[in-house]
Amino acid sequence: MLLIGRLLMRGFWALAFSWERFNIPALEDSTQETLMARQGLKTGWRAFGCLLSVSHLTKNFGKFTALNEVSFEVNDGDVLLLLGPNGAGKTTAIRCILGLLNFRGQIKLDSLDARGDGVLLREKIGYVPQQSSYYENIRILDQGRLMARFKKASFGELKSKLEMVGLWSVNNRQVKSLSSGMKQRLGIALALLNDPPLLIFDEPTSNVDLSGQLEFQGLLQRFSGEGKTMLITTHLTGLDRYVDEVVVLDSGKIVAKGSPQQLLARLGATDTVFIRLELAEIPEALSLLNQNGFGAVTTKEDWLLFSVSTAEKAKLLGILSAHSLVVKDIVIQPRDIESEYLRLSGNAEN
Amino acid sequence: MFSAVFFFLALNVPLLVLLALRYLPPDYLERYLNYLVSLSFPFLPLLSLPVASASVVEERESGALQYVLSGPVSKADFLVGRAVGLLAATTAVVILGYGLAALGVFNVSSSKYLLVGEIAAIGIALNAAMVGLALVISIMSRRKATALGVAVFLWFFFTVLSDLGQLSLAVNLSAGPSAVLPLVITNPVEISRVLAVLVIGGGAEQLGPPGLILTDLLGNSAAYYMLISLASWIMASYAICYIVFSRQDVV
């Protein structure tokens, strides 16, 4: 009886959520008309410029200041990376944007205010949380239906999103039986419902294995290619390629902000270049490079190891070829913003 | 399980035997309902308090609350959904228990069903007040264990401690009989019990010392006072739920 009671409770709960949403399209495939109406709505979402604006965001937990006058913007179509050690305030900032925490300052998404228009604002955000936060004792499909109802998405759309992440075939499985990677994929599928203009990923790779991380990188590449606006907090390296702007947070304050190139230039970051030559030519190459200002050159067997800026890489190769030194192999380890940030903040252990 | 308990409480097998043997007096239903109210009303909160007090805090602990509210759902929507779901589920349990027994066993005329309906309505109102109160506990707690502990203590307070206090006051009238009034109206279980007995038309034995003092103090309007008090409990608890929940951080 208690079980029946619980089921009834769930049913009425879901029913009650829809009490003021009589205009929700039924959970079947959308009609062309509905689709066109939604397309129109989405067109209205495009901001052509700043999509998300966070200004003077401050959050205190008692006497502890988690965020202190944090300001940043995410432009339409851009990918912004929020970087920082544990406790820097990244997740707190995201929770403020989602209206889950009270805050001081102002958060606007395409002219909607996070305080006054919370529900409308969240309609435009697809959020993938850091940890699995779903109802564990229901099926994937039921979890999906619930979120689809909230987001006014059709059943057809739910199906296509679950298919996209490879979960449609197992939609009858209970959420609790899924692996971390599958839960993450479920989160991404549900976040994409109704094609929100802003996607927020909170540490999307913290609970998944290497294959999950690579999978996420693939999805990120795809979304980036589709021009989606994204806000990501992560410790995953190698995201520079997809990121337009980086905001570095530390102890609730912004310590650096700008494009990855700007930040790397400001940090004086360099690429690491490994060049393999004939062993007999190593002394001559070393001498030449020293004469041309490449001071910090180290050797290991027939390999030369340099730290050089992007502009100097071509010059380096030019010098070697001008003196008929044959480069047998070359490996370039590009600089990345995460490792430079860790070096800067002295948090290498993170 | 709770439905079964309420069903068997309402069913009362000895009553069935007496019914079959036609040994019952014409006013057996009123007498029986009086006993039923005294017996079962204190246990009604034992269903709603733990279930509702665990609801919000459980979702907060699991992160589901954060996830749901990160979607286009307002806190008011969530709260209404939660409250309606809990009310529907717990009321269904009560109605299943009492209703089935009433339909199948109470050998009464249709006019008597109105009385059974009134008692059931009071039971449902008590359940609503308890759900509201438990939601306040759930919203204000940070851990499920704490919420459950407070809920069980509250049940103990309403059914045992408050009763003892009233009895002590009733026996020791140095504070005056009017001291009983605030004790009753601060206890929704007692409000419902006295109101139900008044509706049934129970005697002094069923009203008990607090009920007798109340009828003495308030006269014929005692039932209205009780009704208003119970309605106030319901409205106040849900208003507090909304105010606290809408102002607090979700995580």
Side-chain angles (χ1 to χ4, degrees), chain B residues 37-52:
Chain B
V37 163
S38 304
L39 190 66
S40 64
F41 270 28
F43 290 100
L44 272 179
L46 208 50
L47 162 69
S48 43
L49 277 173
V51 172

Side-chain angles (χ1 to χ4, degrees), chain A residues 47-103:
Chain A
F48 299 112
C50 173
L51 182 67
L52 175 72
S53 156
V54 175
S55 62
H56 305 290
L57 178 62
T58 301
K59 174 65 190 173
N60 296 305
F61 293 106
K63 287 181 181 172
F64 173 70
T65 303
L67 289 172
N68 191 2
E69 294 283 323
V70 169
S71 300
F72 60 87
E73 291 181 346
V74 187
N75 289 326
D76 196 25
D78 278 3
V79 181
L80 184 137
L81 186 69
L82 262 182
L83 205 60
N86 290 334
K90 308 183 297 290
T91 300
T92 304
I94 285 177
R95 285 172 175 169
C96 290
I97 292 167
L98 292 166
L100 299 172
L101 297 174
N102 299 313
F103 58 87

Side-chain angles (χ1 to χ4, degrees), chain A residues 19-186:
Chain A
W19 70 312
E20 59 180 18
R21 298 197 170 87
F22 296 111
N23 57 344
I24 301 173
L27 285 173
E28 285 104 32
D29 287 322
S30 293
T31 59
Q32 192 60 33
E33 202 175 302
T34 314
L35 279 171
M36 283 169 72
R38 287 205 181 133
Q39 286 300 330
L41 195 61
K42 280 173 203 162
T43 309
W45 284 352
R46 309 313 288 181
F48 299 112
C50 173
L51 182 67
L52 175 72
S53 156
V54 175
S55 62
H56 305 290
L57 178 62
T58 301
K59 174 65 190 173
N60 296 305
F61 293 106
K63 287 181 181 172
F64 173 70
T65 303
L67 289 172
N68 191 2
E69 294 283 323
V70 169
S71 300
F72 60 87
E73 291 181 346
V74 187
N75 289 326
D76 196 25
D78 278 3
V79 181
L80 184 137
L81 186 69
L82 262 182
L83 205 60
N86 290 334
K90 308 183 297 290
T91 300
T92 304
I94 285 177
R95 285 172 175 169
C96 290
I97 292 167
L98 292 166
L100 299 172
L101 297 174
N102 299 313
F103 58 87
R104 279 188 284 127
Q106 195 176 49
I107 296 172
K108 284 202 163 198
L109 177 66
D110 199 8
S111 80
L112 291 170
D113 187 80
R115 281 201 195 84
D117 315 301
V119 175
L120 288 172
L121 180 136
R122 289 193 294 274
E123 260 182 32
K124 299 183 174 188
I125 297 177
Y127 169 58
V128 182
Q130 185 173 358
Q131 291 164 334
S132 163
S133 318
Y134 314 110
Y135 292 105
E136 296 279 325
N137 293 317
I138 60 176
R139 296 177 308 157
I140 292 174
L141 188 60
D142 295 327
Q143 178 75 51
R145 279 180 195 270
L146 188 68
M147 285 315 283
R149 184 167 281 274
F150 291 163
K151 295 187 165 196
K152 304 173 188 173
S154 69
F155 184 77
E157 191 182 350
L158 172 64
K159 187 183 172 196
S160 75
K161 298 299 185 221
L162 287 175
E163 278 174 344
M164 188 192 92
V165 296
L167 289 178
W168 179 250
S169 56
V170 290
N171 69 59
N172 272 320
R173 274 179 67 178
Q174 286 209 319
V175 174
K176 67 180 172 192
S177 72
L178 301 180
S179 67
S180 301
M182 290 169 96
K183 282 180 182 171
Q184 190 210 49
R185 279 190 276 146
L186 175 63

Side-chain angles (χ1 to χ4, degrees), chain A residues 1-2 5 9 12-13 16-17 19-21 59 95 100-102 119 122-123 127 129 133-135 143 150 190, chain B residues 1 3 59 63-64 66-74 77-78 81-82 85-86 88-89 247-251:
Chain A
M1 276 302 179
L2 198 62
M9 201 161 71
F12 277 96
W13 183 71
F17 267 123
W19 70 312
E20 59 180 18
R21 298 197 170 87
K59 174 65 190 173
R95 285 172 175 169
L100 299 172
L101 297 174
N102 299 313
V119 175
R122 289 193 294 274
E123 260 182 32
Y127 169 58
S133 318
Y134 314 110
Y135 292 105
Q143 178 75 51
F150 291 163
L190 300 184
Chain B
M1 191 182 76
S3 286
E59 290 193 29
Q66 177 193 340
Y67 186 59
V68 167
L69 290 178
S70 68
V73 177
S74 71
D77 275 351
F78 176 84
R82 256 284 159 254
L86 285 164
R247 291 183 181 183
Q248 73 176 183
D249 288 339
V250 173
V251 281

